[in-house]
Amino acid sequence: MEKTWNELNVSRAQWSIDAYCPKKDGVKSCTSCQKDWLHRSPSCYAYNDAAPSNRRKWESAREVCRTMNSDLPVVSDQTEK
């Protein structure tokens, strides 16, 4: 079990490095957000303008977000919206 837990932690760490520090022309360049996400201090957002036929209910959309190590945002003010 210990080996499996350690391997999982290494896998998660490697995912973070790959997601936030992608290689371009053989050089790693780190950013505060994943590729194609928008940085709006202090958070990162992935905007999805799905066609009506591809839209999901809240719980289903949240599950999709969680697969990307994220969550649906809670909009706190008009500026953030």
Side-chain angles (χ1 to χ4, degrees):
M1 180 73 171
E2 178 82 21
K3 183 177 180 182
T4 303
W5 183 255
N6 287 338
E7 289 173 349
L8 180 59
N9 286 337
V10 169
S11 176
R12 285 181 179 164
Q14 187 61 52
W15 176 88
S16 295
I17 292 168
D18 294 343
Y20 295 94
C21 301
K23 279 187 179 180
K24 184 175 182 181
D25 300 325
V27 177
K28 283 194 179 279
S29 175
C30 298
T31 62
S32 56
C33 299
Q34 297 178 56
K35 184 178 186 250
D36 298 326
W37 286 47
L38 302 172
H39 181 256
R40 297 291 183 262
S41 191
S43 301
C44 297
Y45 297 90
Y47 181 74
N48 181 356
D49 189 16
S53 61
N54 291 329
R55 291 183 185 163
R56 301 171 180 263
K57 296 200 180 285
W58 195 89
E59 281 296 329
S60 178
R62 188 174 197 199
E63 286 303 315
V64 171
C65 289
R66 288 181 170 176
T67 67
M68 297 184 286
N69 294 323
S70 186
D71 206 342
L72 287 176
V74 175
V75 178
S76 57
D77 59 43
Q78 200 59 26
T79 303
E80 186 176 15
K81 185 177 179 182

